[in-house]
Amino acid sequence: MTDGRSRRWRRIAVDRIAGALERLGIISSDRFRPTMDLAWPRIVTGFAIMSKQTADLAMVGTAVGIAGTGGMAFALAYWEIVTMLGLGLAGGTVSLVSQNYGGEATDRASLVVTQSVLLATAIALPLVGAFLLFAEPLIGLFDADPALVGHGATYLVFVAPAVLFELLNLIASRTYTGVGDTYTEMVARAGGAVLNIVLSAAFIFGLGMGVAGAGLGTTLSTGFVTLVLGWGMSGRSYGRLGMEPSPVPITRSGPWVEPGLAKQLVEISTPEIGRRLAQGVAVFPLLWIAAAFGPVVVTAVEVGRRIRGLINSINWGLSLAASSLVGQRLGANEEDEAGAFGAAIVRLSVLIYAAAGLLVIAFAEPIAGLFVADPGEIAQAAVFVAVGAVSAVGYGIDGAAAGALLGAGDTRLPFVASLVGRYVFALPAAAIGLVTPLGVGGLYLAFLLETYVPGGINYWLFRRGRWKAVSRKYRPSTDAESG
C-alpha cells in the first residue's frame, strides 16, 4: 500500500514537472520522460563516481593537511587521464551499441562490447605498470614541494590496480546506457561509492594510513564494482535485486574480433578519446601554474575542480541520454526525432546546470570548509568553488551537445572543439597570470574558458546538422545494404 502510494506521488510529481517544462518550451512531456528515465540513474551513478575522490580529498585534508591534499591533486590528475581514456573508448561503445541495439542487431552489439573490453584491457595494463614503477618521477613533473611529491606518489601506487577496474567499469556502464538500462549500473556504482567512503575512512582515520588509505579504499571499492557489473555483463541474472543482466552480453565464444566492426569502434572512439584527453591533459599545466602560487592555491584549484565535477554528474545522465536516445532514433532512421531529442536535452541541461550552480555559489564558503580549515585557505578555496559552479554551465552545454553528436558517431569536430577551448583559450589565460598582475585571476578565467568555448562550438555543430549525414554510415541498415 505504501509503495503504491509512493509510486503514485512520484508519477504526479514527474507529470507536473514535465508539464511545467513543456509550457516553458524547454522539453515536451513525451521526450522528458524517456530522457529522465535514462538520465536520473546515470546522474546518481556519476555523482557516486565523482564523490569518491572528492570524499577522499576532504578526509585527507582533515587527517594530513595541505601537503596531503596538494599531493593528491597531482596524483588525481593522472587518475583523470585514466577516466578520460575510459570515457573516450566507452563513447565509441555507446554509439555503436545504441545504434545496433536500436536496429535490432543484438549479436553485433554484443561483439562491440567484447571488442571494447579487450581494447580497454590493452590500454589499462601499461598504465598500471607506469603508476607502480614511476610514481615519484611522474608526480615530480609538477616541480612541487617534496612533501607534496611524496604524498602524491604514495596515492598513485596504491590506486594503480584500480586503473583496469575503472576502464572495464566504464565500458559496462556505457553498454547498459546504450541499451536503455541505467538502473543496474546505478546500483553497482552507488554501492561502490558508499563502500569507498567506508573503507577510506577506516584506513585514513582508523588505521592512520593517510593518503595511502585513500588510494587503497578506491582500489578495493572499484574492484567491487567490477565484480558486480561483470556478473551482469556476462549475461548472468542478479536474482531479486532489481538489476538486470545485459541483453548484449560479452561474447564468450569466438569470434571475438570482427575487422569491420573493430574499425568502426576505433574510428569513432579515437577522436572521442582525443577530446577527453584534451580535457584531462589540460589539468597538468593548470596545476603546474597553480603550484607557482603555492600549495594553498593547488588545493583550492583542486577543490574547485572537484565541486565542479560533482555538478557535472548531471552530464553523466543527460549527455548519455542524448547519446542513447539520438543513437536509437538514428538506428531506426528517424532523423527529425533524433534532432528534436538532442535540442530538447540541451535546453534541459542548461536549466538544470544553472540551478545547481546558483545553489553551490550560495554555499561556497561552507563547502570550501569541508576541505581546508584555515580562514585564509577557506576564502581562497571558496572563490574557486564559486567560479567552478559558474563554469559548470558551460559543461552542461558541451556535454549535451557533444552527447547528441556522439550518438550519431560524429566525434572528430568535438575533439577539435575541446582542443581549441583548452589549449588556445584556457591555458594561455592561466599562464598570463604568471607574468601580469592578473595573478590567480588567470586561473579563474581559465576555468570559464575551458568549458564555454567547447560548449559553444559543439552547440553550433549540433545546430548545423551535419551529424545526421555522418550517422548514416554507422547504422546497421546501411551495413546490411553494403554487405
Side-chain angles (χ1 to χ4, degrees):
M1 180 75 70
T2 302
D3 288 344
R5 188 180 297 114
S6 176
R7 283 194 296 269
R8 186 166 62 252
W9 280 110
R10 281 200 299 270
R11 278 198 307 272
I12 293 171
V14 169
D15 288 344
R16 288 181 176 176
I17 293 170
L21 291 172
E22 185 166 16
R23 287 190 294 274
L24 290 169
I26 303 297
I27 185 171
S28 64
S29 296
D30 61 327
R31 295 191 184 103
F32 175 74
R33 291 183 180 88
T35 297
M36 293 313 297
D37 284 346
L38 274 177
W40 79 263
R42 282 293 305 165
I43 292 171
V44 174
T45 301
F47 191 86
I49 292 170
M50 299 306 298
S51 69
K52 293 196 299 182
Q53 276 78 33
T54 305
D56 285 350
L57 190 71
M59 287 188 279
V60 166
T62 300
V64 181
I66 286 292
T69 52
M72 268 194 71
F74 298 142
L76 289 174
Y78 288 99
W79 180 260
E80 189 156 338
I81 294 298
V82 171
T83 302
M84 294 306 163
L85 281 169
L87 288 172
L89 177 57
T93 304
V94 73
S95 179
L96 289 173
V97 167
S98 63
Q99 291 198 44
N100 283 285
Y101 187 73
E104 299 183 352
T106 54
D107 289 344
R108 195 165 182 265
S110 287
L111 192 53
V112 170
V113 178
T114 303
Q115 293 181 157
S116 296
V117 167
L118 293 174
L119 189 53
T121 303
I123 292 172
L125 293 179
L127 290 174
V128 173
F131 286 5
L132 289 172
L133 298 175
F134 305 108
E136 191 161 323
L138 287 172
I139 301 298
L141 291 175
F142 290 101
D143 195 25
D145 182 274
L148 275 68
V149 172
H151 285 302
T154 299
Y155 183 84
L156 208 57
V157 167
F158 275 87
V159 85
V163 170
L164 175 60
F165 302 148
E166 185 64 9
L167 290 183
L168 294 176
N169 291 344
L170 288 168
I171 296 297
S173 294
R174 293 308 192 267
T175 298
Y176 272 110
T177 299
V179 300
D181 177 8
T182 51
Y183 178 80
T184 297
E185 55 167 320
M186 177 193 72
V187 174
R189 287 288 202 172
V194 172
L195 181 62
N196 180 84
I197 292 172
V198 171
L199 291 176
S200 292
F203 295 146
I204 293 171
F205 299 115
L207 299 180
M209 293 178 65
V211 172
L216 182 58
T218 295
T219 292
L220 294 177
S221 61
T222 309
F224 166 79
V225 174
T226 305
L227 290 174
V228 173
L229 288 176
W231 184 269
M233 289 295 293
S234 63
R236 295 183 175 91
S237 172
Y238 288 103
R240 298 182 179 180
L241 297 177
M243 303 162 69
E244 297 291 337
S246 172
V248 287
I250 295 170
T251 305
R252 282 178 279 183
S253 58
W256 288 356
V257 177
E258 193 276 303
L261 197 57
K263 180 182 177 183
Q264 288 189 357
L265 179 62
V266 172
E267 188 175 86
I268 296 175
S269 297
T270 299
E272 180 64 5
I273 289 173
R275 183 178 81 89
R276 297 286 189 172
L277 282 180
Q279 178 181 338
V281 171
V283 176
F284 287 81
L286 192 70
L287 288 175
W288 184 85
I289 292 168
F293 296 101
V296 172
V297 173
V298 171
T299 293
V301 166
E302 188 62 22
V303 170
R305 290 182 63 250
R306 288 292 141 192
I307 298 304
R308 184 175 65 178
L310 287 177
I311 299 173
N312 202 37
S313 302
I314 299 164
N315 253 343
W316 286 74
L318 292 182
S319 179
L320 265 294
S323 294
S324 184
L325 292 169
V326 168
Q328 289 180 25
R329 293 322 182 268
L330 291 173
N333 294 314
E334 299 173 0
E335 290 186 355
D336 289 343
E337 183 63 10
F341 255 109
I345 292 173
V346 170
R347 293 192 296 270
L348 180 63
S349 182
V350 171
L351 178 66
I352 296 175
Y353 268 84
L358 288 172
L359 184 64
V360 169
I361 291 170
F363 295 97
E365 285 205 7
I367 290 171
L370 297 174
F371 299 87
V372 291
D374 181 82
E377 296 169 358
I378 291 174
Q380 180 69 82
V383 176
F384 276 99
V385 168
V387 173
V390 174
S391 69
V393 180
Y395 266 152
I397 301 169
D398 185 31
L405 297 173
L406 178 60
D410 187 0
T411 55
R412 293 181 181 178
L413 291 179
F415 167 43
V416 175
S418 187
L419 290 178
V420 170
R422 289 169 175 86
Y423 296 93
V424 177
F425 286 89
L427 288 179
I432 287 173
L434 292 174
V435 294
T436 69
L438 185 62
V440 177
L443 293 168
Y444 304 152
L445 186 58
F447 263 54
L448 300 172
L449 292 173
E450 73 170 322
T451 63
Y452 281 101
V453 172
I457 294 173
N458 282 325
Y459 181 66
W460 175 78
L461 290 171
F462 172 76
R463 296 284 295 178
R464 185 181 173 201
R466 172 183 168 274
W467 52 274
K468 295 178 183 178
V470 172
S471 75
R472 291 168 195 154
K473 67 177 179 177
Y474 298 119
R475 300 180 199 174
S477 57
T478 304
D479 194 62
E481 290 164 9
S482 64

